[in-house]
């Protein structure tokens, strides 16, 4: 195993998992408290971390030295005045300490490949990229995590959970653990459990609201809207999210007319395929002119709300009464 690791990418959950894996593979559990040190690159120089690598461990074994938020390997401009001597890092990489594992964490989308230090790290270090999981990868991850918690879940359940939470792995894991504890090992996480137990978001409620509006279930739509008001959600924010959802329905309809498949449409408008499928069913309930008319009403309503011409909550309720 190499003694210098660079962990970069936007998915913090995967970065933390990889970091912990390196620690577990390097240091026995009973020694970790004293043999792992952490340096924040926004507060201390990389030279201090390198000095730490070359210091003999208190317990005489290996040590892991972690550099957090190594922005100096990206295009990110620092506000803090910390002097990072990158020449010393270049020298260290040529002959790293045999008793220390240096882990450089870069929680950013990309490394700056123009920098000499980055080029050398890619040659000499073990580089791990933590990409955000999408599509099938995210689906498989949720399936695996539910199995690890001793419960099963259907395809419909996985898709619903992802539609509620998105790709935030920390939040997905927390919700899976919570629901698994609720239903107990050996049982199946059903759609009703997800609807009842998953921590709600405004976007989730908006999708339910649109579904109720399109299906002409006015009573359900008003109950959902009343619940949003009770939670203190702002009417203008709600109207903007409704407008975004109806724009998606219009886009789907237009792209379908061009003969694109659902998969091609998903790629073009950057939506998960299962969400395209779900929204495609909703868009089919309208003619194109109807959707344009609704979007025009929403634009006018947004303007009236922002200029104080109408009572926000009453105007939103009137709009839903008109189209549901």
């Amino acid at each position: 195993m190499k003694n210098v690791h660079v962990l970069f990418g936007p998915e913090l959950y995967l970065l933390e998992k990889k970091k912990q894996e390196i620690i577990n593979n390097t240091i026995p559990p009973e020694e970790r408290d004293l043999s792992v040190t952490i340096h924040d690159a926004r507060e201390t120089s990389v030279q201090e971390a390198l000095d730490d690598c070359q210091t003999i461990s208190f317990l005489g074994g290996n040590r892991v030295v972690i550099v957090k938020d190594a922005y100096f390997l990206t295009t990110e401009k620092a506000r803090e005045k910390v002097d990072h001597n990158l020449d010393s890092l270049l020298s260290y990489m040529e002959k790293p300490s045999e008793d220390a594992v240096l882990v450089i964490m870069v929680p950013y989308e990309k490394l700056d490949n123009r920098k000499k230090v980055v080029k050398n790290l890619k040659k000499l270090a073990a580089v791990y990229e933590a990409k955000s999981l999408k599509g099938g990868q995210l689906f498989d991850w949720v399936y695996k995590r539910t199995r690890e918690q001793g419960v099963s879940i259907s395809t419909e359940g996985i898709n619903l959970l992802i539609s509620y939470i998105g790709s935030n792995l920390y939040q997905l894991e927390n919700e899976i653990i919570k629901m698994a504890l609720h239903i107990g090992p050996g049982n199946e996480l059903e759609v009703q459990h997800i609807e009842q137990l998953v921590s709600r978001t405004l976007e989730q409620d908006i999708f339910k609201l649109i579904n109720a509006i399109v299906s002409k279930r006015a009573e359900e739509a008003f109950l959902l809207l009343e619940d949003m008001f009770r939670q203190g959600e702002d009417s203008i924010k709600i109207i903007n999210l409704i407008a975004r959802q109806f724009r998606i329905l219009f886009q789907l309809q237009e792209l379908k007319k061009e003969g694109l498949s659902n998969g091609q449409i998903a790629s073009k408008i950057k939506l998960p395929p299962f969400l395209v499928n779900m929204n495609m069913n909703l868009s089919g309930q309208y003619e194109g002119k109807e959707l344009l008319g609704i979007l025009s009403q929403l634009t006018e309503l947004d303007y009236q709300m922002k200029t104080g011409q109408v009572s926000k909550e009453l105007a939103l309720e009137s709009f839903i009464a008109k189209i549901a």
Side-chain angles (χ1 to χ4, degrees):
M1 186 174 78
K2 292 190 176 182
N3 282 34
V4 179
H5 294 258
V6 178
L7 316 183
F8 82 98
E11 185 46 71
L12 300 183
Y13 177 94
L14 295 178
L15 287 179
E16 286 297 318
K17 286 289 184 183
K18 186 64 177 178
K19 178 192 78 176
Q20 196 58 49
E21 178 188 314
I22 293 169
I23 292 171
N24 294 346
N25 290 337
T26 306
I27 302 171
E30 65 275 10
E31 296 180 13
R32 286 173 196 160
D33 287 344
L34 296 174
S35 298
V36 178
T37 54
I38 300 173
H39 299 263
D40 189 332
R42 293 195 179 274
E43 296 176 2
T44 59
S45 71
V46 71
Q47 183 62 56
E48 290 184 45
L50 299 179
D51 291 344
D52 206 353
C53 288
Q54 293 164 329
T55 301
I56 297 172
S57 170
F58 176 76
L59 298 174
N62 291 331
R63 65 190 296 114
V64 174
V65 178
I66 297 165
V67 177
K68 287 173 52 182
D69 198 0
Y71 62 88
F72 52 81
L73 298 180
T74 73
T75 57
E76 178 82 5
K77 301 299 181 186
R79 293 182 296 275
E80 298 80 6
K81 294 182 178 180
V82 180
D83 183 21
H84 292 291
N85 184 352
L86 298 186
D87 287 337
S88 65
L89 179 56
L90 285 165
S91 299
Y92 180 82
M93 283 188 291
E94 296 290 341
K95 194 176 180 181
S97 169
E98 294 181 1
D99 299 322
V101 173
L102 175 64
V103 180
I104 304 173
M105 303 192 69
V106 194
Y108 298 88
E109 190 84 33
K110 296 178 181 178
L111 300 173
D112 188 349
N113 294 314
R114 298 168 299 176
K115 293 181 177 179
K116 182 180 178 182
V117 66
V118 171
K119 292 175 182 175
N120 279 30
L121 279 167
K122 286 192 169 184
K123 289 178 186 175
L124 301 172
V127 179
Y128 171 80
E129 182 177 4
K131 291 182 179 180
S132 297
L133 301 186
K134 296 177 182 177
Q137 286 182 320
L138 186 59
F139 183 99
D140 291 344
W141 186 90
V142 172
Y143 177 81
K144 182 180 177 183
R145 291 300 291 125
T146 53
R147 290 291 178 181
E148 288 171 357
Q149 292 301 315
V151 297
S152 60
I153 187 170
S154 66
T155 296
E156 185 182 6
I158 293 175
N159 286 337
L160 183 63
L161 182 59
I162 294 173
S163 74
Y164 281 2
I165 305 297
S167 62
N168 186 314
L169 300 186
Y170 276 119
Q171 195 174 349
L172 281 168
E173 181 173 63
N174 288 338
E175 295 296 345
I176 290 168
I177 292 171
K178 178 180 73 177
M179 290 188 291
L181 287 171
H182 178 81
I183 67 172
N187 293 307
E188 180 178 348
L189 267 178
E190 298 176 359
V191 167
Q192 66 187 41
H193 297 128
I194 296 167
E195 290 178 337
Q196 292 168 4
L197 298 172
V198 168
S199 300
R200 291 166 50 189
T201 64
L202 178 56
E203 285 78 5
Q204 171 190 332
D205 285 344
I206 290 294
F207 185 82
K208 286 184 178 179
L209 178 63
I210 296 295
N211 209 329
I213 291 171
V214 172
S215 304
K216 305 298 180 183
R217 300 194 301 270
E219 186 177 351
E220 181 184 340
F222 281 120
L223 286 173
L224 286 164
L225 186 63
E226 183 182 341
D227 195 34
M228 290 182 208
F229 289 153
R230 194 161 45 243
Q231 292 179 65
E233 299 293 356
D234 180 64
S235 296
I236 293 177
K237 187 175 182 181
I238 293 172
I239 209 77
N240 286 332
L241 287 171
I242 291 174
R244 185 183 72 179
Q245 191 63 34
F246 272 104
R247 275 195 295 274
I248 289 172
L249 299 186
F250 180 72
Q251 280 181 298
L252 294 180
Q253 208 173 82
E254 292 300 299
L255 292 170
K256 196 70 176 176
K257 288 177 186 176
E258 295 178 15
L260 299 181
S261 69
N262 283 11
Q264 291 171 320
I265 292 172
S267 177
K268 192 174 183 69
I269 64 175
K270 301 188 185 330
L271 272 183
F274 74 88
L275 276 183
V276 169
N277 294 336
M278 291 167 67
N279 280 289
M280 193 66 78
N281 293 331
L282 296 180
S283 73
Q285 304 300 312
Y286 293 98
E287 296 290 335
K289 288 183 180 178
E290 287 181 279
L291 287 172
L292 285 174
I294 290 171
L295 287 169
S296 177
Q297 291 178 54
L298 287 165
T299 301
E300 178 62 22
L301 188 55
D302 178 63
Y303 174 76
Q304 290 175 346
M305 284 182 173
K306 287 176 178 175
T307 54
Q309 297 180 38
V310 293
S311 166
K312 294 177 184 178
E313 292 187 4
L314 182 60
L316 188 46
E317 289 171 345
S318 299
F319 167 76
I320 289 175
K322 191 185 304 182
I323 67 169

